[in-house]
Amino acid sequence: MSALVCRVVAFFCLLRASAAVFEDQVGKFDWRQQFVGNVRFAAFDAHSQASKKLLVATEKNIFASVNSRTGELFWRHVDKTGQDGQIDAMLVHGQDAVLVVGNGRLLRSWETNIGGLNWEVVMDTGSFQTAQLIGLADIVKFVAVLKKSAISLHYLSNGHQKWVENLPDSDTVQYQTVYSSGNGDVFVLGLVPHSHIVVVAYNIEDGEIMKQVSVEAPWITSLDSSCAVVGSAVLLCVDPVSSSLYTLQLNAEGRAEFVHIPLQSLDLEAEAGFHPVVIATQPHPARVPLKEFFLQLGPERFILLQLKDGAIAPLRDFNPANLVAFATTGEKTVAAVMSPKNETACSINLFSADTGRRLLDTTVTYNLDPNGGKLNRLFVLAFLKKDDSVGYRALVQTEDFALTFLQQPGRVVWVREEALADVVTMEMVDLPLTGTQAELEGEFGKKADGLLAMVLKRLSSQLILLQAWIGHLWKLFYDARKPRSHVKNEVTIETLARDEFNLQKMMVMVTASGKLFGIDSKSGTILWKHYLQNVQPNAAFKLMVQRTTAHFPHPPQCTLLIKDKDTGLGSLHVFNPIFGKKSHIALPTLPRPIQQSLLLPIMDQDYTKVLMLIDDQYKVTAFPSTKNVLQQLQEMASSIFFYLVDSSQGTLSGFRLRKDLSTELMWEVVIPAEVQKITLVKGKRANEHVHSQGRVMGDRSVLYKYLNPNLLAVVTESTDTHPERSFIGVFLIDGVTGRIIHEAVQRKARGPVHLVHSENWVVYEYWNTKSRRNEFSVLEQYEGTELYNSSVFSSLDRPHPPQVLQQSYIFPSPINTLEATLTEKGITSRHLLVGLPSGAILSLPKMFLDPRRPEVVSEQSREENLIPYAPEMPIRTEWFINYNQTVSRVKGIYTAPSGLESTCLVVAYGLDIYQTRVFPSKQFDVLKDDYDYMLISSVLLGLFFATMISKRLAEVKLLNRAWR
Amino acid sequence: MSSPGGQGGGALSTRGAGGARRMKWALELSLSNTRSRGDRQGGQGDTMYPIGYSDKPVPDTSVQETDRNLVEKRCWDVALGPLKQIPMNLFIMYMSGNTISIFPIMMVCMMAWRPIQALMSLSATFKLLESSSQQWLQGLVYLVGNLLGSALAIYKCQSMGLLPTHSSDWLAFIEPPQRMEIMGGGMVL
């Protein structure tokens, strides 16, 4: 009987907790953007004229097809992260794209139309060098893969290996290049630096070595960028030291030797300190490469040269030019050259490759983004127009990982911001009030100038408000008549304004490449972007909101702390989060490496929160450091504490600020680094509100929560990873006094540990090595049935340790990230948001992670609405808040409160970005979407009229009766 | 309502405004005529009745001075009314149980409201008891009865858990404590 009751109770609890959206709510308040990461290889699918596919392989180990008309993804294949999934080479021929993956471990062929896998071959181990398509008699049939000590030839149609041959003297010779012109030979070129070049010719049919020559070349250092095969099997190399070109006939009979051509003889000279680069092209793998090639002599200087009968002739000198690229369509090959036009624009022109003449009407103007990075690469898709002239589209890749697709005559078709594939940290900032609202607010800030003037001003501003409201109503009415798809709300930076419930916010995203984005949370439109030059790739970022939008005449202010990992020096970037503009505030000089930063709730006169920067000598720099701030800091110094955790030393240390802005060490906890390593330290979020100070028990007494705002949850992992001996440790430490409130060691457990610390609970997830499963554990702290001090909380005056309760559960999936929902006042029940490796985001009610869940149901626990304990935690598909909009490689989840107590804004980021709203306790403060306004208003109106009519009837009847 | 017989047989009436206009005149042969006409004629005053005639019976207002016991008895009835209800209330309380649902809540409301209403109209009740000799005793009994009734209602509220007597009832009013220290920091960047 009791089991049945339990089940019924559990069922109702589950029923209540479901968080899925209805079908018609799809896309209403959520959006997803998919990214691929920084492009490493790109190729246009040019096998048919109507094709609009762009194939890209990226540094994030993703192979994808992009619609070149819209910039959207056709399909995308996400491989493993790290070395295992790294794409080493991409070769496109016809409808097939051949990828070499994982340092030459796998060879895969993809069908480019639908993205299906044609075949996959596992190759022998060996460090990958290069891969090349090999043709025979004008047909591309094979793909050659060159490794450090072997070369193998595979059929393009099925991946079967045709032959594999060891390379001669592979321990001394570095083989780097494969060349074939489709006549039955495969040349493998290797070198011994500063000594000689080795040319090995293989027979394409059986892999027999046809010829092996060694050519003296004491100047050679590398084949990759300084050498290329040009024309009919002529190896052309450039030597920066002697500033000359060398040519070598690869298939010459007898003794081969380099021909020396000094650059001076061509009236050319390499710029000092620049390593010249040879850029050649082989339009078809089964034919000889082009006779013409580019020689880059300086960062902005390219020469188009032609090799004719062993002699080199310059065709055209491009000075200045940023980027060059060859493109082939049909039989024609053109050279696209991008050259700077003025400070803010570049122009791309096409030149005939064989003559160097400029083609008419091929200029495309490309406006450089002042907030973007420098130009990086150019990809050109050429096509023949109806009148047989050459048209083209160009893809420009910039340093900030942005891809811009251009069309003649200079129209930007689309831009993909691939930096967003690697978001490091983010914040959500309230939007500013509209101009009219701001004017009304501004009244209070100004000085009074007479009663009458004030009244008139108030009246006029309220008139403006009324006007705006009527305009809004009219727009609503007007839009309501149009079909929903036609209503397009174009969001621009000018029309940004806070909505009624503050549901629309500005997402400020910091990416690993150093590019900052301002994204509208409602539509996902990028409203501003700013590229920070000179940011190291491994820099650490910390984003803080120093001033919110609430202090009207003062603009909001965000500060990004960037710490260079190599030098340890920190720098600040202060900007307006709404417009992305860098603010011109005097920044503090930071001569010493920065250890940590701390945002204090102390405000300057202009409502800027004070940022404290702690350097490696534990000296503090305040920003802003006005007189007012310094005075306040002096007054409050004795109550300002901070802690630093050094994971490599295994120390946690707490400091207190002195009046002269130096610090004193208060406490230190040492966790021996050789046994266990501190992996995670989490405090509570500063903007978290807890509405209820306790929990109501079944007997209607109160169990008060231990709400220590200074509490830290510290996780350590054992350095010994043996499944029998590994353990994780969880410590709850008071950050002010260093007192260890609770300490737990979980044996036979292993990280990575994901942890959420909020209110009076800590939830963490780990891998149980004994049972080989993922487990959730929850720790809750209570003060007991009596409050020690209900008015103030001071860590220095807490004689009683809290009661700590713990319970663990089995979770059926590994997780990527963990976060808790957050609402304005903290009345709404909490949910945990779990990012799963499958890309789903699970909204797990905190109710399930409650250490008070009873094993045996009693009257009191039922009164308390506690779910009976069950070791297994369910994953219900209706708890996935992102239904089928999976977020690949989810790395972090950000939650922010909205103006509605029921609603929490959620952004999940990783490879993709997904934004939605969650309602942990359902939408108790707004009417439902499907609320029947018509019915209710018609019933109300009907009742009103019925009342009027019956009143009239009653009057008539009374009058009649009175006449009787 | 009793109506007068109206005119004698064969009375003829001319009609003014109102009523059925299609009839210029009507001859009534029977005594039991239509009510509407009878009313109106009664209201207009009829010359057929003698002066001083009233169709309402005159109540007998004379007080029976002799039957004082009856008055006493009646007053005690009023005074003991609330006390008599208590066993009934107890029974209802027992039957309705302690669950919070619409019927027990309605019962409790009624149980609580009736004594309060009675206490508020206490002066009116005292006026009623004025004629009795044991007026003060009766008033006291009446008061005690009502107070007992309301105590019963409060007890019922208590047993239903409607009274804010537990600390959990005041939980929502506890303000979050103010923090004395400012703390922050983290892993070394």
Side-chain angles (χ1 to χ4, degrees), chain A residues 289-340:
Chain A
L290 214 62
K291 295 195 296 290
E292 292 80 17
F293 61 95
F294 275 109
L295 181 64
Q296 189 180 11
L297 291 174
E300 293 213 327
R301 187 169 180 210
F302 292 85
I303 322 279
L304 183 64
L305 297 160
Q306 189 180 41
L307 179 79
K308 205 170 186 181
D309 308 328
I312 292 174
L315 290 179
R316 194 169 181 129
D317 189 348
F318 299 99
N319 190 13
N322 301 104
L323 300 166
V324 294
F326 283 109
T328 305
T329 170
E331 296 299 311
K332 277 187 187 168
T333 299
V334 289
V337 178
M338 185 179 230
S339 46

Coordinates of all heavy atoms in Angstrom, one line a residue, chain A residues 289-340:
Chain A
P289 N 51.0 21.1 -63.6 CA 50.7 22.4 -62.9 C 50.9 23.5 -63.9 O 51.5 23.4 -65.0 CB 51.7 22.5 -61.8 CG 52.2 21.1 -61.6 CD 52.1 20.4 -62.9
L290 N 50.3 24.6 -63.5 CA 50.4 25.9 -64.3 C 51.8 26.4 -64.4 O 52.6 26.2 -63.4 CB 49.5 26.9 -63.7 CG 48.8 27.9 -64.6 CD1 47.8 27.1 -65.4 CD2 48.0 28.8 -63.7
K291 N 52.2 27.0 -65.5 CA 53.5 27.5 -65.7 C 53.7 28.8 -64.9 O 54.8 29.2 -64.5 CB 53.8 27.8 -67.2 CG 53.8 26.7 -68.1 CD 54.4 27.0 -69.4 CE 53.6 28.1 -70.2 NZ 52.3 27.6 -70.7
E292 N 52.6 29.4 -64.5 CA 52.7 30.7 -63.9 C 52.6 30.5 -62.4 O 51.9 29.6 -61.9 CB 51.6 31.6 -64.3 CG 51.7 32.1 -65.7 CD 51.2 31.1 -66.8 OE1 50.5 30.1 -66.3 OE2 51.5 31.2 -67.9
F293 N 53.2 31.3 -61.6 CA 53.2 31.2 -60.2 C 53.4 32.6 -59.5 O 53.9 33.5 -60.2 CB 54.2 30.2 -59.7 CG 55.6 30.6 -60.0 CD1 56.5 31.2 -59.1 CD2 56.2 30.2 -61.3 CE1 57.7 31.6 -59.5 CE2 57.5 30.6 -61.6 CZ 58.2 31.3 -60.7
F294 N 53.0 32.7 -58.3 CA 53.2 33.9 -57.5 C 54.5 33.7 -56.7 O 54.7 32.7 -56.1 CB 52.1 34.2 -56.6 CG 51.0 34.9 -57.3 CD1 49.7 34.3 -57.5 CD2 51.1 36.3 -57.6 CE1 48.7 35.0 -58.1 CE2 50.1 37.0 -58.2 CZ 48.9 36.3 -58.5
L295 N 55.2 34.8 -56.6 CA 56.3 34.8 -55.7 C 56.1 36.0 -54.7 O 55.9 37.1 -55.1 CB 57.7 35.0 -56.4 CG 58.9 35.0 -55.6 CD1 59.2 33.7 -54.9 CD2 60.1 35.4 -56.5
Q296 N 56.0 35.6 -53.4 CA 55.7 36.7 -52.4 C 57.1 37.1 -51.9 O 57.8 36.4 -51.3 CB 54.9 36.2 -51.3 CG 54.4 37.3 -50.4 CD 53.5 36.8 -49.3 OE1 53.4 35.6 -49.1 NE2 52.9 37.7 -48.5
L297 N 57.4 38.4 -52.1 CA 58.7 38.9 -51.7 C 58.6 39.8 -50.4 O 59.6 40.1 -49.9 CB 59.3 39.8 -52.8 CG 59.7 39.0 -54.1 CD1 60.1 39.9 -55.2 CD2 60.8 38.0 -53.7
G298 N 57.4 40.1 -50.1 CA 57.3 40.9 -48.8 C 55.9 40.7 -48.3 O 55.1 40.1 -49.0
P299 N 55.6 41.2 -47.1 CA 54.2 41.1 -46.6 C 53.1 41.6 -47.5 O 52.0 41.1 -47.5 CB 54.2 41.8 -45.3 CG 55.7 42.1 -45.0 CD 56.4 42.1 -46.3
E300 N 53.5 42.6 -48.3 CA 52.5 43.2 -49.2 C 52.9 43.2 -50.7 O 52.5 44.1 -51.4 CB 52.1 44.6 -48.7 CG 51.4 44.6 -47.4 CD 50.4 45.7 -47.3 OE1 50.6 46.7 -47.8 OE2 49.3 45.5 -46.6
R301 N 53.8 42.3 -51.0 CA 54.3 42.4 -52.4 C 54.3 41.0 -53.0 O 54.9 40.0 -52.5 CB 55.7 42.9 -52.4 CG 56.2 43.2 -53.9 CD 57.4 43.9 -54.0 NE 57.8 44.1 -55.4 CZ 59.0 44.2 -55.8 NH1 60.0 44.2 -55.0 NH2 59.2 44.4 -57.1
F302 N 53.6 40.9 -54.1 CA 53.5 39.6 -54.9 C 53.9 39.9 -56.3 O 53.6 40.9 -56.9 CB 52.1 39.1 -54.8 CG 51.6 38.6 -53.5 CD1 51.1 39.5 -52.6 CD2 51.7 37.3 -53.1 CE1 50.6 39.1 -51.3 CE2 51.3 36.9 -51.9 CZ 50.7 37.8 -51.0
I303 N 54.6 38.9 -56.9 CA 55.0 39.0 -58.3 C 54.4 37.8 -59.0 O 54.5 36.7 -58.5 CB 56.5 39.0 -58.5 CG1 57.2 39.8 -57.5 CG2 56.9 39.4 -59.9 CD1 57.3 41.2 -57.7
L304 N 53.7 38.0 -60.1 CA 53.3 36.9 -61.0 C 54.4 36.6 -62.0 O 54.8 37.5 -62.7 CB 52.0 37.2 -61.7 CG 51.3 36.1 -62.5 CD1 50.9 35.0 -61.6 CD2 50.1 36.7 -63.3
L305 N 54.9 35.4 -61.9 CA 56.0 35.0 -62.8 C 55.6 33.9 -63.7 O 54.7 33.1 -63.4 CB 57.2 34.6 -62.0 CG 57.8 35.6 -61.0 CD1 58.6 34.9 -60.0 CD2 58.7 36.6 -61.8
Q306 N 56.3 33.7 -64.8 CA 56.0 32.6 -65.7 C 57.3 31.9 -66.0 O 58.4 32.5 -66.2 CB 55.5 33.2 -67.0 CG 54.9 32.1 -67.9 CD 54.4 32.7 -69.2 OE1 55.0 33.7 -69.7 NE2 53.2 32.2 -69.6
L307 N 57.2 30.6 -66.0 CA 58.4 29.8 -66.3 C 58.2 29.2 -67.8 O 57.2 28.5 -68.0 CB 58.4 28.6 -65.4 CG 59.6 27.6 -65.6 CD1 60.9 28.2 -65.0 CD2 59.2 26.3 -64.9
K308 N 59.1 29.7 -68.6 CA 58.9 29.3 -70.0 C 60.2 28.8 -70.6 O 61.2 29.6 -70.5 CB 58.4 30.5 -70.8 CG 57.6 30.1 -72.0 CD 57.0 31.4 -72.6 CE 56.1 31.0 -73.8 NZ 55.5 32.2 -74.3
D309 N 60.3 27.6 -71.0 CA 61.5 27.0 -71.5 C 62.7 27.2 -70.6 O 63.8 27.6 -71.0 CB 61.8 27.6 -72.9 CG 60.7 27.6 -73.8 OD1 59.9 26.6 -73.7 OD2 60.5 28.5 -74.6
G310 N 62.5 26.9 -69.3 CA 63.6 27.0 -68.4 C 63.9 28.4 -67.9 O 64.6 28.6 -67.0
A311 N 63.3 29.4 -68.6 CA 63.6 30.8 -68.2 C 62.4 31.4 -67.5 O 61.2 31.0 -67.7 CB 63.9 31.7 -69.4
I312 N 62.6 32.3 -66.5 CA 61.6 32.9 -65.7 C 61.4 34.3 -66.2 O 62.3 35.1 -66.3 CB 61.9 32.8 -64.2 CG1 61.9 31.3 -63.8 CG2 60.9 33.6 -63.4 CD1 62.3 31.1 -62.4
A313 N 60.1 34.7 -66.4 CA 59.8 36.0 -66.8 C 58.7 36.6 -65.9 O 57.7 35.9 -65.7 CB 59.4 36.0 -68.3
P314 N 58.9 37.8 -65.4 CA 57.9 38.4 -64.6 C 56.7 38.9 -65.5 O 57.0 39.4 -66.6 CB 58.6 39.6 -63.9 CG 60.0 39.6 -64.4 CD 60.1 38.6 -65.5
L315 N 55.5 38.6 -65.1 CA 54.4 39.0 -65.8 C 53.8 40.3 -65.2 O 53.4 41.2 -66.0 CB 53.3 37.9 -65.8 CG 53.6 36.7 -66.6 CD1 52.4 35.7 -66.5 CD2 53.8 37.0 -68.1
R316 N 53.7 40.3 -63.9 CA 53.1 41.5 -63.3 C 53.5 41.6 -61.9 O 53.7 40.6 -61.2 CB 51.6 41.4 -63.4 CG 50.9 42.8 -63.1 CD 49.4 42.7 -63.4 NE 48.9 44.0 -63.1 CZ 48.1 44.7 -64.0 NH1 47.9 44.2 -65.1 NH2 47.7 45.9 -63.6
D317 N 53.8 42.8 -61.4 CA 54.2 43.1 -60.1 C 53.0 43.7 -59.3 O 52.4 44.7 -59.7 CB 55.4 44.1 -60.1 CG 56.0 44.2 -58.8 OD1 55.4 43.8 -57.8 OD2 57.1 44.8 -58.7
F318 N 52.6 43.0 -58.2 CA 51.5 43.6 -57.4 C 52.1 44.2 -56.2 O 52.5 43.4 -55.3 CB 50.5 42.5 -57.1 CG 49.9 41.8 -58.3 CD1 50.3 40.6 -58.8 CD2 48.8 42.5 -59.0 CE1 49.8 40.1 -59.9 CE2 48.3 41.9 -60.1 CZ 48.7 40.7 -60.6
N319 N 52.1 45.5 -56.1 CA 52.6 46.1 -54.9 C 51.8 47.4 -54.7 O 51.9 48.3 -55.5 CB 54.1 46.5 -55.2 CG 54.8 46.9 -54.0 OD1 54.3 46.8 -52.9 ND2 56.0 47.5 -54.2
P320 N 51.0 47.5 -53.6 CA 50.9 46.5 -52.6 C 49.7 45.5 -52.9 O 48.8 45.9 -53.6 CB 50.5 47.4 -51.4 CG 49.8 48.5 -52.0 CD 50.4 48.8 -53.4
A321 N 49.8 44.4 -52.3 CA 48.7 43.4 -52.4 C 48.7 42.6 -51.1 O 49.7 42.3 -50.5 CB 49.0 42.5 -53.6
N322 N 47.5 42.4 -50.6 CA 47.3 41.7 -49.4 C 47.4 40.2 -49.6 O 48.1 39.4 -48.9 CB 46.0 42.0 -48.7 CG 45.9 43.5 -48.4 OD1 45.2 44.2 -49.1 ND2 46.6 43.9 -47.4
L323 N 46.5 39.7 -50.5 CA 46.4 38.3 -50.6 C 46.2 38.0 -52.1 O 45.7 38.8 -52.9 CB 45.1 37.8 -49.9 CG 45.0 38.0 -48.4 CD1 43.5 37.8 -48.0 CD2 45.9 37.1 -47.7
V324 N 46.7 36.8 -52.5 CA 46.5 36.3 -53.8 C 45.9 34.9 -53.8 O 46.1 34.2 -52.8 CB 47.8 36.3 -54.6 CG1 48.3 37.7 -54.8 CG2 48.8 35.4 -54.0
A325 N 45.2 34.5 -54.8 CA 44.7 33.2 -54.9 C 44.5 32.9 -56.4 O 44.2 33.7 -57.2 CB 43.4 33.1 -54.2
F326 N 44.7 31.6 -56.7 CA 44.4 31.1 -58.1 C 43.0 30.5 -58.1 O 42.6 29.9 -57.1 CB 45.4 30.0 -58.5 CG 46.7 30.6 -58.9 CD1 47.8 30.4 -58.2 CD2 46.8 31.3 -60.1 CE1 49.1 30.9 -58.5 CE2 48.1 31.8 -60.5 CZ 49.2 31.6 -59.7
A327 N 42.3 30.6 -59.2 CA 41.0 29.9 -59.3 C 40.9 29.4 -60.7 O 41.3 30.1 -61.7 CB 39.9 30.8 -59.0
T328 N 40.3 28.2 -60.9 CA 40.2 27.6 -62.2 C 38.7 27.4 -62.5 O 38.0 26.9 -61.6 CB 41.0 26.3 -62.2 OG1 42.3 26.6 -61.8 CG2 40.9 25.7 -63.6
T329 N 38.3 27.7 -63.7 CA 37.0 27.3 -64.1 C 37.2 26.8 -65.6 O 37.7 27.5 -66.4 CB 36.0 28.4 -64.0 OG1 34.8 28.0 -64.7 CG2 36.5 29.7 -64.6
G330 N 36.7 25.6 -65.8 CA 36.9 25.0 -67.1 C 38.4 24.9 -67.4 O 39.2 24.4 -66.7
E331 N 38.7 25.5 -68.5 CA 40.1 25.5 -69.0 C 40.9 26.8 -68.5 O 42.1 26.9 -68.7 CB 40.2 25.4 -70.5 CG 39.6 24.2 -71.1 CD 40.3 22.9 -70.6 OE1 41.6 22.9 -70.6 OE2 39.7 22.0 -70.1
K332 N 40.1 27.8 -68.0 CA 40.7 29.0 -67.7 C 41.2 29.1 -66.2 O 40.5 28.6 -65.3 CB 39.7 30.2 -67.9 CG 39.6 30.6 -69.3 CD 38.7 31.8 -69.3 CE 38.5 32.2 -70.8 NZ 37.4 33.2 -70.9
T333 N 42.3 29.6 -66.0 CA 42.8 29.8 -64.7 C 43.0 31.3 -64.5 O 43.6 32.0 -65.4 CB 44.1 29.1 -64.4 OG1 43.8 27.7 -64.5 CG2 44.6 29.3 -63.0
V334 N 42.5 31.8 -63.4 CA 42.7 33.3 -63.2 C 43.4 33.4 -61.8 O 43.4 32.5 -61.0 CB 41.3 34.0 -63.1 CG1 40.7 34.1 -64.5 CG2 40.4 33.4 -62.2
A335 N 44.0 34.6 -61.7 CA 44.6 34.9 -60.4 C 43.8 36.1 -59.8 O 43.6 37.1 -60.4 CB 46.1 35.3 -60.6
A336 N 43.4 35.9 -58.6 CA 42.7 36.9 -57.9 C 43.7 37.6 -56.9 O 44.4 37.0 -56.2 CB 41.5 36.4 -57.1
V337 N 43.7 38.9 -57.0 CA 44.6 39.7 -56.1 C 43.8 40.7 -55.3 O 43.0 41.4 -55.9 CB 45.7 40.4 -57.0 CG1 46.6 41.2 -56.1 CG2 46.4 39.4 -57.8
M338 N 44.1 40.7 -54.1 CA 43.4 41.6 -53.2 C 44.4 42.7 -52.8 O 45.5 42.4 -52.3 CB 42.9 40.9 -51.9 CG 42.1 41.8 -51.0 SD 41.6 40.8 -49.6 CE 39.9 41.2 -49.6
S339 N 44.1 43.9 -53.1 CA 45.0 45.0 -52.8 C 44.3 46.1 -52.0 O 43.1 46.3 -52.2 CB 45.6 45.5 -54.1 OG 44.6 45.8 -55.0
P340 N 45.1 46.7 -51.1 CA 44.4 47.8 -50.3 C 44.1 49.0 -51.2 O 44.8 49.4 -52.0 CB 45.5 48.1 -49.3 CG 46.8 47.6 -49.8 CD 46.4 46.5 -50.7

